[in-house]
Amino acid sequence: MTHVEDELNSQPECWNRAAAQAAEHAPALPAPGERVAVVGCGTSYFMAQAIAVLREAAGRGETDAFAASEFPHGRAYDRVVALTRSGTTTEVLDLLEKLKGTTRTTAVTADPATPVMSLADEPVVLDYADERSVVQTRFATTALTLLRAHLGLHTGAVVEDARTALTTPLPEGLVDCSQFTFLGRGWTVGLANEAGLKMREAALAWTEAYPAMEYRHGPISVTTRGTATWMFGTAPDGLARQVRGTGGLWVGGTLDPLAELVRAQRLAVAVAAARGLDPDRPRHLTRSVILAP
């Protein structure tokens, strides 16, 4: 078993632990009414997108998401939350250093022995969700679970759906598809983006991701026999029928969207195996992007 398989299989236990710790970490997490920006790079950026939509939709306050390198320094925020598994990503550390003393910062990380611990005002350590694989799975979803629980949006049913996602066979013919499109709505757009990234990282697959209502505005033109379109959450009316009409494979989300992401992680590993690739060592990638001065 690869490291990434072992790590993605451990997610239900990690989610339970994060949810149980939400009250303990509450003082370091955004308070109701705060104007918040959530930042990250790669997978963490896509988790930030999901968190931002969830928090604002829950009425907890204005919430934006940015790639750490694209943070708008001209805007005022009460708190910036940085997601960084390694605690060493250059863009995140640079941002936290610039914000020190001017904006309250929280860092959610997996490694307490890294520079982010001194740069963030309030670090939150999820060391039990750290990973050996370059490809992120459990840290990202555990960080999102912590924030969902903090917002009162996590239930035991989410964990049960994750267990189902780990044990239910993938749709027939899915692994053999030549192209994959992931769709979301609201907070699940971030999950769709992350599913596409997992497929590119682990399996070198041709993948795209879009808000579901944007799919008809051009992207559907690539859909045909031998391609797959996967929906995270409730699909717009008529979209499944339209995709099937192209000859493409439609995969409807039947589980909690975060559990659907676990299924997509499994797909990435399965496609990598079918193509003779090692998902623990993606081409051209390292566990953390550390740039020279």
Side-chain angles (χ1 to χ4, degrees):
M1 182 177 290
T2 62
H3 294 315
V4 69
E5 287 176 281
D6 181 58
E7 289 155 1
L8 72 86
N9 285 329
S10 69
Q11 287 175 105
E13 290 70 30
C14 288
W15 297 3
N16 275 332
R17 190 164 175 179
Q21 292 178 336
E24 172 190 338
H25 292 305
L29 299 176
E34 285 186 334
R35 190 164 190 256
V36 173
V38 190
V39 302
C41 298
T43 288
S44 292
Y45 170 44
F46 297 141
M47 295 299 101
Q49 291 177 335
I51 291 166
V53 176
L54 281 171
R55 183 174 184 269
E56 191 157 316
R60 299 297 183 92
E62 292 183 10
T63 315
D64 297 320
F66 302 103
S69 59
E70 297 298 318
F71 182 79
H73 288 278
R75 296 188 189 180
Y77 290 98
D78 299 310
R79 183 190 300 268
V80 172
V81 177
L83 307 181
T84 170
R85 175 182 64 171
S86 69
T88 60
T89 303
T90 297
E91 298 98 308
V92 172
L93 298 183
D94 285 351
L95 175 60
L96 291 175
E97 188 166 25
K98 289 175 182 175
L99 294 174
K100 203 163 186 66
T102 62
T103 304
R104 194 175 183 185
T105 59
T106 295
V108 181
T109 187
D111 191 343
T114 56
V116 76
M117 298 295 291
S118 60
L119 288 174
D121 296 322
E122 296 173 280
V124 173
V125 179
L126 307 177
D127 51 357
Y128 54 87
D130 203 355
E131 297 159 327
R132 297 179 64 184
S133 177
V134 170
V135 174
Q136 277 201 59
T137 54
R138 72 182 179 192
F139 174 74
T141 60
T142 300
L144 179 52
T145 296
L146 175 69
L147 272 296
R148 284 182 89 183
H150 177 64
L151 295 171
L153 301 175
H154 174 82
T155 68
V158 178
V159 176
E160 289 308 307
D161 276 1
R163 298 188 195 282
T164 299
L166 290 167
T167 56
T168 303
L170 294 170
E172 186 176 353
L174 184 59
V175 171
D176 299 321
C177 287
S178 61
Q179 189 273 346
F180 304 85
T181 299
F182 298 96
L183 305 176
R185 303 184 82 175
W187 74 282
T188 70
V189 172
L191 303 187
N193 287 332
E194 169 58 8
L197 180 62
K198 283 288 89 64
M199 294 293 294
R200 289 189 290 274
E201 289 178 330
L204 305 183
W206 172 20
T207 63
E208 300 178 348
Y210 302 97
M213 291 299 289
E214 286 296 303
Y215 183 60
R216 297 182 177 99
H217 294 270
I220 195 171
S221 63
V222 304
T223 307
T224 187
R225 189 174 301 279
T227 71
T229 302
W230 190 326
M231 181 71 210
F232 284 77
T234 303
D237 289 344
L239 187 57
R241 181 176 63 254
Q242 191 170 357
V243 168
R244 293 187 181 108
T246 69
L249 175 64
W250 171 262
V251 182
T254 58
L255 304 172
D256 180 87
L258 194 56
E260 286 292 324
L261 180 58
V262 174
R263 293 180 72 206
Q265 293 169 347
R266 288 183 56 214
L267 174 63
V269 172
V271 173
R275 298 181 178 183
L277 302 171
D278 181 355
D280 281 340
R281 296 173 178 83
R283 187 172 67 183
H284 310 317
L285 298 180
T286 57
R287 187 174 185 273
S288 174
V289 176
I290 302 174
L291 304 176

